[in-house]
Amino acid sequence: MQRRQSSRSPKQPLQVHHKNQTDLSICKKGGTTDSEKSTQNHPSPSNQKNDSKQDSLEQALSYFEKVQDHISLKKNSVLQKHLTTVESIALQRGLPPEGFGVLLNVALSGKLADTVNTRLLKTLVPASVIPETSVVSSVSWLCVSKCSGNIQLLFLRWLITVFDFIDHKEQLHALYGFFFSFLQDEKMCPYVCHLLYLLTRKESVKPFRIRRLLDLQAKMGMQAHLQALLSLYKLFCPELVTITLPGKMKTYFKNSEGPWKAAINTVRRRNQGNFLVSQPLFLGTAQPQSRKRKWNTQLVIPASSTNKNNLEEDRKKNCVDLYSTNKVFPVEQLQNFSQLLQNIHHLEFPSQMGSVLTNPLLLHYMNCVKDESVYLRLYYWIGQTLQEECSWCVADNNQYEEEFKDFLETVYKTESFLQEGFSSCEEFLYKSLPLWDGFCCRSQILRLVSWIPLSSFSEMKSHLYDPLAQLFFTSSLYFKCSVLESLKELLQNWLNWHVIHLDLESASQVHSLNTTLSGLVNMVAELIHFVGWISTVALRLENNTTFLLYFILNFYETVCDMYLRYNLPLLIMPPAGVFYPALLSMDSVSLNQLCYIMYRYRTNLVAAKENELSKKKILQFKFSSQTYQEYNQYIIAMVGCLWTSSAFQKDIHPQGLRMDDELLKKTTVKEFKTSFNIVYHPAMMGYAVLFLQQACPYDTTFNFSLIKGKKWNWYLEYLYAQGLKGLKVFIESSINRVSQASHSKAENMQV
């Protein structure tokens, strides 16, 4: 079945896909299968209905193509009939590519009343793709002002909505200056800016266009759509746009989707449920497509219409011809990494940016080339999709939660692959978290949180920390642990970013103030303080459960090593509400974790102090005396508990363990002073029992007082052999007596 070559040849059949057109290759060769013969001899009622609809659509398009004079809708039953036919078929299964040229020409030519033209434009729902030639032909009607301003406005809104369905963009790019001239119309200006934002390339940025936008901004004020276009121009040519613009991406454009977006989704779901409508668009996809919404249907690279007719010829060509530098290399022919390397400067990205998310080769290209226009297109597409399809932000969208999960998972994997967060995802999180119930897509949302890029604290506090804290305190233990794990990964991603960007010569060369060293230090400090606060409250709410404490200490394992491992001049001690529950924990894993953390704090603080003393010039960042003071207080408490049995007398922390002897005697505990040393500590008592069973097998009284002298050293070696490495490095680094004695093991020790 051949495609219709011209909208002005009504006798040729239209290309309309339905079930009985699956084996098109057989039909083209002239062969028929037995099932086809049976179908031809005994057509089913559904096939007859489809044929009837196809005939009706052809008749309607033929009628609109021949319209010459101004016709009134009320007095013409034929017009009413054909208009209803087009509306019905378009909303049920979408229009074939050949129908757009006819309907666009008649709607923009002014031959019919605005009410009819409006209805026609609202029926332009694509079943597959929209030919670029049809769009360019319709744009030419705007030059002669045959249609009203409202129709022109509606046409621009439609063009923005279906932009990704247009099979080519080259001729549209050639009309950039024409669209730019419409900026002078105040009503059309927001939508023209939106369209130009989608079309802009680096070569589109010209000094006279920048001057024109600045003049419009002076006339209209700081309009979001003008700022969007200026920001894009400044990104491509920062030397031409010298004014200061908001660095934070926001929602620049009004919603221009009108009635089409919902209709497109409905048509796509219906068509995919019955037959793979867009099968000719995807190369090498003979298998049925999964029943997914538009983000998943756009995750396959579409072939451009000029290439798909010659696909077999292209496959037969010599490899040298495939890699020719004289033409653009289409991404749908990109099969392996060697092809990517040979054609990396000749790739033409697909119109549907969603296809980039699942293509490792294109993601490698984005990582290597760092083409800002590609990132902008991807951010824009992701942001629009997240905004439209969020299952708890959009009414009646809960039935697609599983598909939305898949999409969020794909976005997260893309961020992980590129090792950077998307600003469009950040915006989505900031807008949706206040509405989130903490249950829907939990894993995916928290993973996206871990890739939020650096931004100002005021934004993160109001948009991330505050709504997250409300959910954190009112949700289950497992949700609390998931949030802590996500925030730990967020901290690690920020620190990794810092390590990667250490080669920047000076902070002044960084475009955003948020990415300077001082900005990073402030943002990391605020994140650590936030986690310390919610951890303290959570431990009280959950009765200091070991499971929660494990995730909290995992976070501080990253914090305690920021100076040496990530070269960040910042160390923040855990709050007392975290330190003391860990010190008095009944679980040896938590105590061992705390010992290792305090050992790493000591190592980092000593290195920082030595570095500070060795530098002749004044350093920009110094650890505050409060950090050293808090560390010393915690060390006194730990040594007093685990070693000297003097925590109740010498702990000087305001929230510490210091208590009067009179009060301790009222507890009726006989040996209260030694209650928390490495023998009597609740987390260590099990090890002490096992040690006595091996060291003194004939003593069944479990007399812990026997662990002293040589047995004390043997006991330490026993603990180290049980895998308590954190306890080992803490004792050897913080207690002088043992740091010397532990290196000389007692001879003839039999434990």
Side-chain angles (χ1 to χ4, degrees):
M1 184 170 56
Q2 296 178 347
R3 291 186 60 180
R4 183 169 170 170
Q5 299 298 323
S6 172
S7 60
R8 301 190 180 279
S9 54
K11 292 184 180 180
Q12 288 183 306
L14 291 172
Q15 180 189 11
V16 181
H17 303 281
H18 48 82
K19 287 184 177 180
N20 67 335
Q21 292 176 322
T22 305
D23 299 325
L24 297 181
S25 58
I26 299 177
C27 296
K28 288 183 179 180
K29 295 178 181 179
T32 58
T33 63
D34 293 338
S35 60
E36 286 176 328
K37 291 179 181 179
S38 175
T39 303
Q40 292 171 0
N41 295 332
H42 304 284
S44 65
S46 61
N47 290 341
Q48 291 178 348
K49 185 177 181 181
N50 286 336
D51 292 340
S52 175
K53 287 185 177 181
Q54 180 178 349
D55 293 340
S56 300
L57 181 60
E58 288 190 23
Q59 293 174 11
L61 293 178
S62 178
Y63 170 81
F64 284 116
E65 191 174 23
K66 296 176 181 179
V67 168
Q68 297 295 333
D69 301 324
H70 190 85
I71 302 174
S72 173
L73 179 62
K74 294 182 180 180
K75 299 179 181 180
N76 194 310
S77 59
V78 179
L79 174 59
Q80 293 178 1
K81 172 189 173 183
H82 291 310
L83 182 59
T84 303
T85 298
V86 173
E87 288 177 328
S88 174
I89 294 177
L91 295 178
Q92 284 183 9
R93 57 185 185 181
L95 295 175
E98 295 80 4
F100 288 93
V102 175
L103 298 180
L104 283 170
N105 282 332
V106 70
L108 298 176
S109 63
K111 296 177 181 178
L112 302 176
D114 273 6
T115 54
V116 179
N117 295 332
T118 300
R119 290 175 63 180
L120 284 176
L121 287 175
K122 289 182 178 180
T123 63
L124 299 179
V125 179
S128 54
V129 296
I130 300 172
E132 183 188 30
T133 53
S134 300
V135 177
V136 173
S137 175
S138 61
V139 169
S140 64
W141 284 108
L142 303 182
C143 303
V144 295
S145 302
K146 290 287 187 178
C147 55
S148 66
N150 290 334
I151 296 299
Q152 293 180 10
L153 198 62
L154 191 62
F155 169 70
L156 284 178
R157 292 174 59 194
W158 171 81
L159 187 56
I160 293 168
T161 304
V162 301
F163 186 81
D164 280 340
F165 291 90
I166 301 173
D167 59 358
H168 278 95
K169 303 291 191 304
E170 290 305 317
Q171 294 182 36
L172 279 178
H173 282 294
L175 295 174
Y176 191 94
F178 173 76
F179 289 120
F180 194 90
S181 65
F182 281 89
L183 288 175
Q184 60 188 357
D185 190 312
E186 290 190 11
K187 289 185 178 180
M188 297 180 67
C189 185
Y191 301 104
V192 173
C193 285
H194 195 164
L195 180 59
L196 292 175
Y197 190 90
L198 298 175
L199 288 171
T200 297
R201 297 172 173 175
K202 187 171 184 178
E203 57 268 23
S204 307
V205 182
K206 305 292 183 183
F208 73 90
R209 288 176 180 156
I210 296 173
R211 289 194 297 270
R212 179 60 180 157
L213 289 175
L214 294 176
D215 291 342
L216 287 173
Q217 184 170 263
K219 177 183 177 182
M220 300 179 181
M222 294 290 286
Q223 300 295 325
H225 49 274
L226 294 176
Q227 289 182 25
L229 205 50
L230 282 170
S231 298
L232 186 57
Y233 282 9
K234 186 168 186 175
L235 181 64
F236 284 124
C237 300
E239 72 281 1
L240 296 180
V241 184
T242 57
I243 65 170
T244 301
L245 294 168
K248 177 67 183 164
M249 182 181 176
K250 59 181 181 177
T251 304
Y252 289 121
F253 305 111
K254 298 178 181 178
N255 189 344
S256 58
E257 295 163 358
W260 301 286
K261 185 62 70 176
I264 289 172
N265 290 337
T266 302
V267 167
R268 187 180 288 275
R269 290 194 300 272
R270 184 179 292 119
N271 287 341
Q272 289 167 359
N274 297 327
F275 179 73
L276 187 57
V277 172
S278 53
Q279 185 174 357
L281 297 178
F282 303 106
L283 296 182
T285 55
Q287 70 276 14
Q289 198 172 355
S290 62
R291 298 185 58 172
K292 298 294 182 183
R293 305 196 74 193
K294 75 178 179 65
W295 55 75
N296 285 334
T297 56
Q298 291 183 342
L299 297 185
V300 184
I301 300 178
S304 56
S305 60
T306 57
N307 290 324
K308 66 183 179 181
N309 292 331
N310 300 318
L311 175 59
E312 296 302 325
E313 296 178 10
D314 288 341
R315 287 177 176 173
K316 296 176 183 178
K317 285 184 180 181
N318 192 295
C319 291
V320 176
D321 186 35
L322 265 180
Y323 302 144
S324 173
T325 58
N326 296 326
K327 64 178 182 178
V328 173
F329 188 84
V331 292
E332 63 269 13
Q333 295 181 14
L334 193 62
Q335 301 296 328
N336 52 55
F337 197 75
S338 61
Q339 285 184 340
L340 173 66
L341 295 178
Q342 295 183 47
N343 298 279
I344 196 165
H345 297 297
H346 307 286
L347 287 180
E348 180 184 26
F349 258 60
S351 297
Q352 296 178 355
M353 287 302 295
S355 60
V356 177
L357 297 181
T358 54
N359 191 305
L361 294 176
L362 295 184
L363 293 178
H364 276 299
Y365 171 85
M366 292 182 65
N367 243 346
C368 296
V369 177
K370 296 297 182 183
D371 186 344
E372 293 295 339
S373 63
V374 173
Y375 277 89
L376 281 175
R377 288 177 59 197
L378 183 62
Y379 291 170
Y380 177 80
W381 181 83
I382 291 177
Q384 289 291 104
T385 305
L386 290 171
Q387 181 180 352
E388 297 161 10
E389 308 297 344
C390 177
S391 54
W392 62 88
C393 293
V394 180
D396 302 326
N397 216 19
N398 293 328
Q399 55 183 322
Y400 306 112
E401 180 180 333
E402 290 302 320
E403 297 178 11
F404 190 57
K405 281 183 180 180
D406 293 340
F407 176 66
L408 294 178
E409 189 71 27
T410 301
V411 173
Y412 165 74
K413 290 179 180 178
T414 304
E415 290 184 318
S416 300
F417 186 95
L418 298 175
Q419 286 294 293
E420 63 177 289
F422 298 156
S423 56
S424 52
C425 293
E426 178 189 10
E427 277 201 40
F428 162 72
L429 291 171
Y430 288 170
K431 290 180 180 179
S432 61
L433 280 179
L435 306 174
W436 186 41
D437 59 3
F439 179 78
C440 179
C441 307
R442 175 191 296 176
S443 175
Q444 291 74 24
I445 292 297
L446 292 179
R447 286 181 177 182
L448 290 182
V449 166
S450 68
W451 278 109
I452 290 179
L454 288 166
S455 57
S456 66
F457 172 68
S458 59
E459 290 181 341
M460 295 200 72
K461 183 181 185 305
S462 59
H463 293 107
L464 176 65
Y465 295 156
D466 290 349
L468 205 56
Q470 293 179 7
L471 288 169
F472 184 85
F473 295 139
T474 57
S475 296
S476 67
L477 169 65
Y478 298 100
F479 180 82
K480 292 181 176 70
C481 296
S482 299
V483 170
L484 290 169
E485 181 68 17
S486 176
L487 294 177
K488 184 198 77 170
E489 292 177 0
L490 174 63
L491 175 62
Q492 288 178 335
N493 289 332
W494 284 358
L495 296 174
N496 288 332
W497 177 93
H498 171 63
V499 172
I500 293 172
H501 291 79
L502 279 178
D503 57 345
L504 292 176
E505 294 181 4
S506 64
S508 61
Q509 291 186 348
V510 183
H511 296 297
S512 173
L513 291 177
N514 297 327
T515 55
T516 62
L517 184 57
S518 59
L520 176 64
V521 168
N522 292 335
M523 288 305 303
V524 169
E526 295 297 345
L527 173 60
I528 295 172
H529 287 310
F530 172 72
V531 172
W533 170 60
I534 63 173
S535 298
T536 300
V537 178
L539 285 171
R540 295 174 183 172
L541 293 174
E542 302 292 345
N543 297 321
N544 297 327
T545 176
T546 302
F547 188 64
L548 177 63
L549 190 58
Y550 171 80
F551 286 90
I552 296 173
L553 294 178
N554 267 356
F555 179 84
Y556 280 98
E557 277 193 28
T558 301
V559 175
C560 69
D561 235 357
M562 292 190 300
Y563 182 74
L564 289 179
R565 181 172 296 179
Y566 300 100
N567 202 16
L568 187 73
L570 177 68
L571 279 180
I572 297 177
M573 302 300 298
V578 170
F579 173 79
Y580 284 102
L583 177 60
L584 305 179
S585 172
M586 306 207 35
D587 181 71
S588 60
V589 174
S590 299
L591 182 61
N592 187 62
Q593 265 188 296
L594 179 65
C595 289
Y596 176 77
I597 289 171
M598 295 305 295
Y599 161 71
R600 292 308 302 172
Y601 269 120
R602 181 184 186 279
T603 305
N604 280 256
L605 287 171
V606 169
K609 178 61 71 174
E610 291 175 350
N611 188 41
E612 182 180 330
L613 295 175
S614 64
K615 296 289 185 180
K616 295 181 180 180
K617 61 180 182 179
I618 299 177
L619 297 177
Q620 182 181 2
F621 295 96
K622 292 182 180 180
F623 294 155
S624 66
S625 58
Q626 182 182 356
T627 303
Y628 292 101
Q629 181 182 353
E630 287 181 350
Y631 171 79
N632 290 332
Q633 290 173 345
Y634 286 162
I635 283 296
I636 292 173
M638 286 190 69
V639 173
C641 275
L642 301 177
W643 194 261
T644 63
S645 302
S646 59
F648 297 119
Q649 291 78 31
K650 294 186 178 181
D651 191 348
I652 59 175
H653 194 280
Q655 296 174 262
L657 302 175
R658 185 181 183 88
M659 283 185 279
D660 295 333
D661 288 346
E662 296 298 327
L663 181 61
L664 289 169
K665 290 178 182 178
K666 292 181 181 180
T667 63
T668 67
V669 177
K670 295 181 179 179
E671 300 293 336
F672 58 82
K673 290 185 178 181
T674 60
S675 297
F676 291 101
N677 67 16
I678 58 174
V679 175
Y680 292 91
H681 194 291
M684 308 301 295
M685 195 174 292
Y687 291 107
V689 170
L690 294 175
F691 172 78
L692 286 175
Q693 286 179 341
Q694 298 180 45
C696 306
Y698 302 106
D699 184 3
T700 58
T701 61
F702 296 112
N703 186 2
F704 293 153
S705 61
L706 294 176
I707 304 178
K708 59 183 178 181
K710 279 189 176 182
K711 285 189 173 63
W712 181 273
N713 292 335
W714 294 355
Y715 178 58
L716 286 178
E717 295 296 337
Y718 175 79
L719 293 178
Y720 301 160
Q722 301 307 307
L724 299 177
K725 303 301 182 184
L727 179 68
K728 180 177 187 288
V729 294
F730 171 76
I731 291 178
E732 291 183 351
S733 63
S734 300
I735 303 174
N736 293 329
R737 174 175 174 269
V738 175
S739 63
Q740 299 172 0
S742 63
H743 290 293
S744 56
K745 295 184 179 180
E747 297 180 359
N748 301 324
M749 181 181 63
Q750 296 181 5
V751 178

